[in-house]
Amino acid sequence: MSNQTIKQPSKVLNNVLRIALYTVLLTMAAIYLMPFVVMLLTSLKDVEEIRSGTLLSLPSTLGFESWQKAWSSACTGSSCEGISPYFLNSFQIVLPAVAISTLLGALNGYVISLWKFKGSDLFFAALLIGCFIPFQVILLPMARTLGWLGIANTTTGLVFVHVVYGVAFTTLFFRNFYQSIPEELVKAARLDGAGFFTIFYRIILPVSIPIIVVTVIWQFTQIWNDFLFGVAFSGFDTQPVTVALNNLVNTSFGGKEYNVDMAAAIIAALPTLAVYVLAGKYFVRGLTAGAVKG
């Protein structure tokens, strides 16, 4: 009788705490999503309704003209053309930059953690310092380097910039993850006659999926959202979508069309939103996968 009396209040208390926790989480989620809701509602209204209504008022009629206009009338300088070329430019920059920086980071982390050599710790320290170099510091030397290589104002040049700047971060991710892999595994493979690349391809890469996901999400987000490198090192035809969005928002003919601006901002954010929605849970899982050695 006494045990039932004790368990009953405990169960009620757990339910109350669970309800309170979910209430707090839902409230914080609603606050966090409020700007996106305002952007979405604004993008579906016409200009007159935006001026006469409130931020959270629902549109009287659903209209996607602003979305079509944002996609097809982004303005840069004295001329206007569709935002779609800039959207495609971003993909042409992001995909190879993410692939190359991830591969280089995996190789660097593999060498530094499992193939120790003289000066490997110094090499890793130099890469670690590279993670804390501000973007603004490398603008001038990078511009001279791109000019010397003959790839200034090109998509290839932007890919090069993001690979160089991102490889320090990817190396750090992979090195910390590979620290959890027993060195005896590599030594045993070497005794069996496996070489450097055989061990990397057949043993290391198959267990690297969690950290590869982390690196891809991190690099994709950083490169897609980049504005400074895009505006500094791109040409008129190679600008990423972030630069096109800035030009659209800061250029107006006649009245300011906030619905078009909001629609363009959502379009520009869709790829990163999709990446986090589809693979967000793997990001945290990958970050903690190599946290404990053994």
Side-chain angles (χ1 to χ4, degrees), residues 2-36:
S2 59
N3 289 337
Q4 292 179 355
T5 305
I6 294 174
K7 289 180 180 179
Q8 190 66 24
S10 176
K11 186 176 180 180
V12 172
L13 179 61
N14 288 337
N15 290 335
V16 171
L17 291 176
R18 186 178 293 109
I19 293 172
L21 176 62
Y22 279 109
T23 301
V24 172
L25 291 175
L26 289 173
T27 303
M28 296 304 296
I31 295 173
Y32 185 80
L33 291 173
M34 192 62 68
F36 179 77

Side-chain angles (χ1 to χ4, degrees), residues 69-80:
K69 193 171 183 179
W71 182 255
S72 62
S73 64
C75 298
T76 54
S78 59
S79 62
C80 296

Side-chain angles (χ1 to χ4, degrees), residues 77-265:
S78 59
S79 62
C80 296
E81 61 179 271
I83 199 174
S84 54
Y86 306 109
F87 200 82
L88 295 175
N89 284 345
S90 287
F91 275 110
Q92 291 175 356
I93 296 166
V94 168
L95 296 181
V98 169
I100 295 171
S101 60
T102 300
L103 178 60
L104 290 178
L107 285 170
N108 287 339
Y110 168 55
V111 171
I112 293 173
S113 59
L114 300 175
W115 290 74
K116 292 289 186 179
F117 59 92
K118 188 175 181 180
S120 59
D121 292 335
L122 182 62
F123 177 69
F124 176 68
L127 285 174
L128 194 60
I129 293 173
C131 295
F132 300 98
I133 298 177
F135 284 13
Q136 295 82 355
V137 173
I138 69 170
L139 288 181
L140 182 58
M142 184 61 74
R144 293 178 63 89
T145 301
L146 294 177
W148 178 69
L149 293 174
I151 54 176
N153 300 328
T154 65
T155 300
T156 303
L158 280 170
V159 171
F160 177 79
V161 171
H162 287 295
V163 169
V164 169
Y165 200 86
V167 73
F169 292 95
T170 59
T171 299
L172 176 63
F173 290 154
F174 280 100
R175 184 260 183 188
N176 291 342
F177 182 82
Y178 290 154
Q179 287 292 102
S180 64
I181 298 178
E183 294 182 6
E184 290 75 13
L185 185 64
V186 175
K187 293 179 181 179
R190 294 175 68 179
L191 289 175
D192 290 338
F196 177 88
F197 288 104
T198 301
I199 296 173
F200 178 71
Y201 179 73
R202 295 188 176 274
I203 298 177
I204 302 301
L205 275 186
V207 301
S208 303
I209 301 301
I211 199 62
I212 289 176
V213 172
V214 169
T215 305
V216 167
I217 294 176
W218 171 270
Q219 281 293 87
F220 186 96
T221 304
Q222 294 298 312
I223 298 172
W224 185 274
N225 291 333
D226 168 70
F227 174 77
L228 182 60
F229 289 161
V231 76
F233 301 129
S234 65
F236 180 78
D237 296 328
T238 59
Q239 292 176 346
V241 70
T242 49
V243 178
L245 177 62
N246 176 75
N247 293 334
L248 172 64
V249 172
N250 291 295
T251 305
S252 61
F253 297 92
K256 187 65 176 174
E257 296 179 310
Y258 294 103
N259 52 352
V260 176
D261 295 346
M262 295 301 175

